[in-house]
Amino acid sequence: MRRKRIGTSVPSDISQAAAADPSIDQRGRIMDVAAHLFRTKGYSGTSTREISSLIGIQKASLYHHIDSKEALLYELCVDATQRILDRATVIAAENQEPIIKLRALMRQHAITMLDSQDRHATMLIELLHGSLTGERRAAVDSLRDKYQSVLYSAIRECQQVGDVRTDWNARDLTLAALSLLNWTVFWFDDQGRLTKSQVADLLTSTFLDGVKDQH
Amino acid sequence: MRRKRIGTSVPSDISQAAAADPSIDQRGRIMDVAAHLFRTKGYSGTSTREISSLIGIQKASLYHHIDSKEALLYELCVDATQRILDRATVIAAENQEPIIKLRALMRQHAITMLDSQDRHATMLIELLHGSLTGERRAAVDSLRDKYQSVLYSAIRECQQVGDVRTDWNARDLTLAALSLLNWTVFWFDDQGRLTKSQVADLLTSTFLDGVKDQH
DNA sequence: GTCTATAAAGAGATAGAC
DNA sequence: GTCTATCTCTTTATAGAC
């Protein structure tokens, strides 16, 4: 198998649709189905047989497209992390007020994450579970670190111009922001009451303003 | 094997210490070791052999103490959820100002969760992964629902007396609170820079006041 | 690019001795 | 309460035909 590219041609993350859609190539289909199964059953709780079965091929045929189960997980994690880092880098480079940039960074984090919910949920959990090892683990960690630096710098900058409180340091506030944002990927329901945009508003508004009535 | 009790005699959650401590009975030791392995490697990524090996017995000997691997997971999840619900119920019943109660509820959520970090992290992830089935799943869901109702009511009450903003409904604000609190269990480091109490302050302060400078 | 067949290892769980 | 031995099933991955 040769590595053709990182990620798939479509942002869709839903395995059932992916399994049927003829416009996605087989490799993209495999990644979408795998991401969905990894999120809902866990990486080690998902067998290669289940993946191939949902695609409609034999287990052995899967290995024509992927090197190994772990390599498949790796690509999903890189794709998720890279996507969020790329968009954050663009926002951070804009010539805008710090607080506007911070809000935009948080909004894109929420929305990008929910746009590829299966991949992001998988990435977050499987990094905790140590399912990626060696260089693959290091590569994904590196991308995450870069992203977190971008968010940290944005918060630090807001503090320096007096837009954000300084009784907590930027490092701690970054942890709080990430907590608020990351857990969302595990409960958000695409068919649910709230849209992605509304969730993004809820989270940024809570983080920036808090919930106490200020009047 | 007979079910002796729910949970263990000690709050400790660290497998290495648990495996060595002679003051904990074998059953408590198994639960602590299992919780630690389930958190760090996942439920399906952990073998019964690994658990028994860390205890220092054979795999077969484990089955004198537990019914099955899933029954072991079930007890961990019930223990975690019950603990947080019990303490919340006490706080909610107190005769206090709504905003004081809300703050106390959030603080105890953070601290109770971090006191049994392995169990709570395992519970949160394995519910997502559907590792518990049938009645066991329903029982844990029921406990979680009860707890979330307590938190929801506290937020609702704060809105009614004018302490909390009403442009977001209580249901959404509950989701935001839970997001902020729950993700914490995955990054908190007992040996790290922040104490549990400091983390609890950071989260409650962020949620109630936000990060924007109000001066 | 997909198939059948198979290798080699590991899983959860049980039987029965001590 | 722990042991050895074993049953049965599933796992990831490969070989080689078509």
Side-chain angles (χ1 to χ4, degrees), chain A residues 26 57-58 60-61 64-65:
Chain A
Q26 196 73 309
I57 57 175
Q58 289 300 307
S61 310
H64 178 76
H65 302 278

Coordinates of all heavy atoms in Angstrom, one line a residue, chain A residues 26 57-58 60-61 64-65, chain C residues 1-7:
Chain A
Q26 N -12.2 4.6 -1.9 CA -12.2 3.5 -0.9 C -11.4 3.9 0.3 O -11.8 3.6 1.5 CB -11.7 2.2 -1.5 CG -11.9 1.0 -0.8 CD -13.4 0.5 -0.9 OE1 -14.3 1.3 -0.6 NE2 -13.6 -0.7 -1.2
I57 N -16.2 -5.2 2.2 CA -15.1 -6.1 1.7 C -14.6 -7.0 2.7 O -15.0 -6.9 3.9 CB -13.9 -5.2 1.2 CG1 -13.4 -4.3 2.3 CG2 -14.3 -4.4 0.0 CD1 -12.1 -3.5 1.9
Q58 N -13.7 -7.9 2.4 CA -13.1 -8.8 3.3 C -12.0 -8.2 4.1 O -11.4 -7.2 3.7 CB -12.6 -10.1 2.6 CG -13.6 -11.0 2.0 CD -14.6 -11.5 3.1 OE1 -14.1 -12.1 4.1 NE2 -15.9 -11.4 2.9
A60 N -9.1 -9.1 4.8 CA -7.8 -9.1 4.1 C -7.6 -7.9 3.1 O -6.6 -7.4 2.9 CB -7.5 -10.4 3.5
S61 N -8.7 -7.6 2.5 CA -8.7 -6.6 1.4 C -8.4 -5.2 2.0 O -7.9 -4.3 1.3 CB -10.1 -6.5 0.7 OG -10.5 -7.8 0.3
H64 N -4.8 -3.9 1.7 CA -4.4 -3.3 0.4 C -4.3 -1.8 0.5 O -3.5 -1.1 -0.2 CB -5.3 -3.7 -0.7 CG -4.9 -3.1 -2.1 ND1 -3.9 -3.6 -2.8 CD2 -5.5 -2.1 -2.8 CE1 -3.8 -2.9 -3.9 NE2 -4.7 -2.0 -3.9
H65 N -5.2 -1.2 1.4 CA -5.3 0.2 1.5 C -4.5 0.8 2.7 O -4.2 2.0 2.7 CB -6.8 0.6 1.7 CG -7.6 0.1 0.5 ND1 -7.7 0.8 -0.7 CD2 -8.4 -1.0 0.4 CE1 -8.5 0.2 -1.5 NE2 -8.9 -0.9 -0.9
Chain C
dG1 P -6.7 0.4 -6.3 OP1 -7.3 1.3 -5.5 OP2 -5.3 0.1 -6.5 O5' -7.5 -1.0 -6.1 C5' -8.8 -1.1 -6.8 C4' -9.4 -2.4 -6.4 O4' -8.5 -3.5 -6.8 C3' -9.6 -2.6 -4.9 O3' -10.9 -3.0 -4.8 C2' -8.6 -3.7 -4.5 C1' -8.5 -4.5 -5.8 N9 -7.2 -5.2 -6.0 C8 -5.9 -4.8 -5.7 N7 -5.0 -5.7 -6.0 C5 -5.8 -6.8 -6.5 C6 -5.4 -8.1 -7.0 O6 -4.2 -8.5 -7.1 N1 -6.4 -8.9 -7.4 C2 -7.7 -8.5 -7.3 N2 -8.7 -9.3 -7.8 N3 -8.1 -7.3 -6.9 C4 -7.1 -6.5 -6.5
dT2 P -11.7 -3.0 -3.4 OP1 -12.9 -2.4 -3.7 OP2 -10.8 -2.6 -2.4 O5' -12.0 -4.6 -3.1 C5' -12.7 -5.3 -4.1 C4' -12.4 -6.8 -4.0 O4' -11.0 -7.0 -4.3 C3' -12.5 -7.4 -2.6 O3' -13.8 -8.1 -2.5 C2' -11.3 -8.3 -2.4 C1' -10.7 -8.3 -3.8 N1 -9.2 -8.4 -3.7 C2 -8.6 -9.6 -4.2 O2 -9.3 -10.5 -4.6 N3 -7.3 -9.7 -4.1 C4 -6.4 -8.7 -3.6 O4 -5.2 -8.9 -3.6 C5 -7.1 -7.5 -3.1 C7 -6.2 -6.3 -2.6 C6 -8.4 -7.4 -3.2
dC3 P -14.1 -9.0 -1.2 OP1 -15.5 -9.1 -1.2 OP2 -13.4 -8.4 0.0 O5' -13.4 -10.4 -1.5 C5' -14.0 -11.2 -2.6 C4' -13.1 -12.4 -2.8 O4' -11.8 -12.0 -3.1 C3' -13.0 -13.3 -1.6 O3' -14.0 -14.3 -1.5 C2' -11.6 -14.0 -1.8 C1' -10.9 -13.0 -2.7 N1 -9.7 -12.3 -2.0 C2 -8.4 -12.9 -2.1 O2 -8.3 -14.0 -2.6 N3 -7.4 -12.2 -1.5 C4 -7.6 -11.1 -0.9 N4 -6.5 -10.5 -0.3 C5 -8.9 -10.5 -0.8 C6 -9.9 -11.1 -1.4
dT4 P -14.3 -15.1 -0.2 OP1 -15.6 -15.7 -0.3 OP2 -14.0 -14.2 1.0 O5' -13.2 -16.2 -0.2 C5' -13.1 -17.2 -1.3 C4' -12.0 -18.1 -1.0 O4' -10.7 -17.4 -0.9 C3' -12.1 -18.9 0.3 O3' -11.6 -20.2 0.1 C2' -11.2 -18.1 1.2 C1' -10.1 -17.6 0.3 N1 -9.4 -16.4 0.7 C2 -8.0 -16.3 0.7 O2 -7.3 -17.3 0.5 N3 -7.5 -15.1 1.2 C4 -8.2 -14.0 1.5 O4 -7.6 -13.0 1.8 C5 -9.6 -14.1 1.4 C7 -10.5 -12.9 1.8 C6 -10.2 -15.3 1.0
dA5 P -11.8 -21.3 1.3 OP1 -12.0 -22.6 0.7 OP2 -12.7 -20.8 2.3 O5' -10.3 -21.3 1.9 C5' -9.2 -21.3 1.0 C4' -7.9 -21.2 1.9 O4' -7.6 -19.9 2.1 C3' -8.0 -21.9 3.3 O3' -6.9 -22.8 3.5 C2' -8.1 -20.8 4.2 C1' -7.2 -19.7 3.5 N9 -7.5 -18.3 3.9 C8 -8.8 -17.8 4.1 N7 -8.7 -16.5 4.5 C5 -7.4 -16.2 4.5 C6 -6.6 -15.0 4.8 N6 -7.2 -13.9 5.1 N1 -5.3 -15.1 4.7 C2 -4.7 -16.3 4.4 N3 -5.3 -17.4 4.1 C4 -6.6 -17.3 4.2
dT6 P -6.8 -23.7 4.8 OP1 -6.2 -25.0 4.4 OP2 -8.1 -23.7 5.5 O5' -5.7 -22.9 5.6 C5' -4.6 -22.3 4.9 C4' -3.8 -21.4 5.8 O4' -4.4 -20.1 5.9 C3' -3.7 -21.9 7.3 O3' -2.3 -21.9 7.7 C2' -4.5 -20.9 8.1 C1' -4.3 -19.7 7.3 N1 -5.2 -18.6 7.5 C2 -4.8 -17.3 7.7 O2 -3.6 -17.0 7.7 N3 -5.7 -16.3 7.9 C4 -7.1 -16.5 8.0 O4 -7.9 -15.6 8.2 C5 -7.5 -17.9 7.8 C7 -9.0 -18.2 7.8 C6 -6.6 -18.8 7.5
dA7 P -1.8 -23.0 8.7 OP1 -1.2 -24.1 8.0 OP2 -2.8 -23.2 9.8 O5' -0.5 -22.2 9.3 C5' 0.2 -21.2 8.5 C4' 0.4 -20.0 9.2 O4' -0.8 -19.2 9.3 C3' 0.8 -20.2 10.7 O3' 2.1 -19.6 10.9 C2' -0.2 -19.5 11.5 C1' -0.8 -18.5 10.5 N9 -2.2 -18.1 10.8 C8 -3.3 -18.9 10.7 N7 -4.4 -18.3 11.0 C5 -4.1 -17.0 11.3 C6 -4.8 -15.8 11.6 N6 -6.1 -15.8 11.8 N1 -4.1 -14.7 11.8 C2 -2.7 -14.7 11.7 N3 -2.0 -15.8 11.3 C4 -2.7 -16.9 11.1

